[in-house]
Amino acid sequence: MTVVLRMVARRVLLLVPLLLGIILFVFLVMRFSDMDPASAYFQGTNPTQEQLHDFREENGLLDPLPVRYLDFVGDLVTGDMGISVLTRAPVWDQVTTALPLTLQLTFLGLGIAVALALPLGVLAAVYRDRLADQLIRVVSLVGVAAPAFWLALLMIQYLAVDRGWYPTGGYINPQDSFSGWLNSLTLPALALSLPVAAQLTRVVRTAMVEELDRDYVRTAVGSGLPPVVVVGRNVLRNALINPLTVLGLRVGYLLGGAVVIETIFALPGMGKLMIDAVRNGDPAVVQGVVLTTAVGFVLVNLVIDILYLLVNPRLRSAT
């Protein structure tokens, strides 16, 4: 247990320079972008150059870049992401309002992907080169090649418009109606998760096949242990390392893909918030959404690292 805690502490300490690097990258990208907070603030009017200059001076936009960066980091430490130049509302409030829906969509999609990929990958490995394996291979290849937005449009057409089984868009709070909430997120989560499930199925199958070919499996089966016990107790646990790696990377895809999916299904999450901010030229909101998404991706990968320790005892003994 001490080794695990030491490993976790080491990973957490490594997050500090990584997060500072992410903050610096986002800051520089936004400062050198074409978005001008002054122009966005006076959008729809015809401001004079003096008004634009006064706005920039009042908001510190004319300060040297290092000073602006230090001010930006200092504000983030206190939970201040800035103010939207359009709504004059704190960016933090807008992000915390939109983030729960994006997290619901992301983790619902992640759960669907794992629930599909794990049994299909194991089944394909156990019955490799047989009919079940061939069918799963074809389906997974089609799933990998299918873009999430294309799947979303097909589902809207055939499952929502033609048959009316699901709504074409919109969001229902789970506190108001759990069944309505689940109904409103089913199609978005499926469209988001199916490509991930297809890729993860291939990874699980490959990892399982490699483990099934090891000597300890043949020895265990030859000694009389039921194959189901060997696969469930030993093979599956040892084969989970590579799928966990892919799963951690795919969370970033799910978070990024939510931008498109939320726009298609008119869901008021982080994706729609960022699209609206880009369309309206509101750099503070874009900056807040990108930064929150990047930090979320880093934290998810920290959780994946911890799961490595729990799944693979060899990693604990090597530290």
Side-chain angles (χ1 to χ4, degrees), residues 78-160:
T78 61
D80 183 6
M81 288 185 171
I83 302 295
S84 168
V85 295
L86 295 179
T87 64
R88 307 307 296 169
V91 175
W92 174 259
D93 292 346
Q94 297 183 57
V95 168
T96 52
T97 299
L99 182 60
L101 190 150
T102 299
L103 291 179
Q104 292 168 27
L105 178 60
T106 298
F107 286 104
L108 183 59
L110 190 65
I112 293 173
V114 173
L116 290 174
L118 199 57
L120 289 177
V122 172
L123 185 65
V126 172
Y127 295 97
R128 57 178 147 173
D129 298 328
R130 301 182 191 176
L131 179 61
D133 182 25
Q134 299 296 339
L135 290 176
I136 293 172
R137 180 179 303 173
V138 171
V139 172
S140 62
L141 289 176
V142 172
V144 170
F149 73 88
W150 180 73
L151 291 174
L153 295 175
L154 286 182
M155 290 177 182
I156 290 174
Q157 179 62 46
Y158 292 107
L159 299 180

Side-chain angles (χ1 to χ4, degrees), residues 10 15 18 29 47 51 72 92 119 183 191 202 226 230 237 251 265:
R10 189 184 308 168
L15 284 183
L18 180 59
V29 168
Q51 288 176 309
F72 178 59
W92 174 259
N183 209 34
R202 304 302 304 158
V230 176
R237 179 170 180 171
V251 170
F265 286 93

Side-chain angles (χ1 to χ4, degrees), residues 16-17 44 51 76 114 140 146 174 190 205 212-213 215 246 268 274 299:
V16 176
Q51 288 176 309
L76 286 178
V114 173
S140 62
L190 280 174
R205 181 206 180 268
L212 287 171
D213 287 338
D215 292 336
V246 175
M274 187 171 71
L299 294 178

